[in-house]
Amino acid sequence: ALLQRALQRHLIANRSCQSRRFSIVNNEPRKYEKPSPYWHYDEETKQYQRPIFVAATRQHVGKTTSSLAIVSGLSKRFNKVGFIKPVGQQHVDVKNEAGETFRVDKDVCLVKEHFHLNHLDYSFMSPVIIPRGYTKKYIDGEISDDVQMKHLLTAMSHVVDVSDVTICEGTGHCAVGSIVGMNNAKVASLIGADMVLIANGGLGSAFDELELNRVLCHHYNVRVAGVIINKVMPDKLEQTKEYLGKALKNAW
């Protein structure tokens, strides 16, 4: 019964999203007619910086490690790097600037403390946490899409306003969170983010997993800006770069 209610709610939400927010013409992702409110405008370069959303193709591919590397690299180019985990699962207790204790995703705590992101308040870095029992409450209608959306967009606005560039770390692959209406591809679309996909080394299996996630990104009109192939055997590095690069260029 729970699964049936979840599927009904998901189908209704998808129809609503497609009618209100998404438009695909000739199978090409739509172009933004105007900048997203979650893009940072650089007064010096006169250009907009989109948020960067990092998602994996599956578990244990090194998404968090890659996110740390991206934040480290961007910290050398930008004065203030923002970080947010829109939907989290494993959480820890922290205190915000007001001294209030609440829960954030454990990766948020790691990134904020390691990189000393003192311009960010914990209150806005982990807007949606999914603890045990959350999914059933959502399916039963005790948690609304509007409330989740409000938490997400309020947090995103705050982080973008105080940062030069913002990294969003997803939870798992692009479809994770679908049962509560907050999958990674949908969230990336809502905030106008570009997607970076992380996959394990290999050729056929890596490409297949990337393609599955790319299709969902395309469904939500999210641009895949880059791919990181992680955990590649040293003796396979050049082969992977050459052949996976050709495969992606030919198909994407």
Side-chain angles (χ1 to χ4, degrees), residues 218-234:
H218 183 87
H219 173 74
Y220 284 104
N221 297 293
V222 175
R223 183 175 67 176
V224 178
V227 168
I228 296 174
I229 307 300
N230 206 12
K231 302 180 182 180
V232 179
M233 298 295 291

Side-chain angles (χ1 to χ4, degrees), residues 39-66:
W39 295 1
H40 176 80
Y41 183 70
D42 189 315
E43 293 287 352
E44 184 176 340
T45 64
K46 307 300 181 184
Q47 294 181 338
Y48 287 95
Q49 174 63 55
R50 300 188 188 203
I52 301 170
F53 201 105
V54 182
T57 54
R58 57 186 173 93
Q59 284 186 313
H60 309 306
V61 300
K63 173 175 53 61
T64 299
T65 305
S66 297

Side-chain angles (χ1 to χ4, degrees), residues 10-189:
H10 177 71
L11 290 172
I12 292 171
N14 263 358
R15 285 196 295 268
S16 177
C17 286
Q18 289 170 351
S19 64
R20 292 200 312 268
R21 291 189 290 270
F22 310 118
S23 174
I24 297 178
V25 180
N26 295 328
N27 294 322
E28 290 295 326
R30 73 168 164 80
K31 305 296 182 182
Y32 281 92
E33 295 180 358
K34 59 181 179 180
S36 162
Y38 308 105
W39 295 1
H40 176 80
Y41 183 70
D42 189 315
E43 293 287 352
E44 184 176 340
T45 64
K46 307 300 181 184
Q47 294 181 338
Y48 287 95
Q49 174 63 55
R50 300 188 188 203
I52 301 170
F53 201 105
V54 182
T57 54
R58 57 186 173 93
Q59 284 186 313
H60 309 306
V61 300
K63 173 175 53 61
T64 299
T65 305
S66 297
S67 294
L68 287 166
I70 293 171
V71 173
S72 177
L74 290 174
S75 296
K76 298 175 176 64
R77 297 178 54 193
F78 297 91
N79 291 326
K80 294 181 178 180
V81 177
F83 184 85
I84 183 172
K85 187 147 185 176
V87 180
Q89 293 176 313
Q90 300 179 29
H91 57 269
V92 295
D93 290 334
V94 298
K95 289 187 177 181
N96 63 5
E97 293 179 354
E100 302 167 325
T101 301
F102 61 102
R103 297 175 299 184
V104 299
D105 186 271
K106 61 181 180 60
D107 293 337
V108 164
C109 187
L110 170 64
V111 173
K112 178 172 167 57
E113 299 303 324
H114 181 77
F115 291 104
H116 308 291
L117 304 181
N118 299 322
H119 64 291
L120 298 178
D121 189 336
Y122 271 126
S123 303
F124 302 102
M125 298 180 71
S126 192
V128 178
I129 293 288
I130 305 180
R132 185 180 298 275
Y134 187 97
T135 300
K136 291 180 181 178
K137 289 181 179 179
Y138 175 86
I139 294 171
D140 286 334
E142 298 176 32
I143 299 170
S144 72
D145 291 312
D146 290 341
V147 169
Q148 291 185 142
M149 198 76 66
K150 180 180 179 181
H151 290 327
L152 167 67
L153 299 184
T154 299
M156 192 66 195
S157 293
H158 176 83
V159 173
V160 169
D161 285 346
V162 298
S163 305
D164 299 319
V165 61
T166 300
I167 301 298
C168 309
E169 184 187 345
T171 301
H173 56 74
C174 286
V176 169
S178 294
I179 196 166
V180 296
M182 294 286 283
N183 71 60
N184 291 316
K186 179 179 178 180
V187 171
S189 178

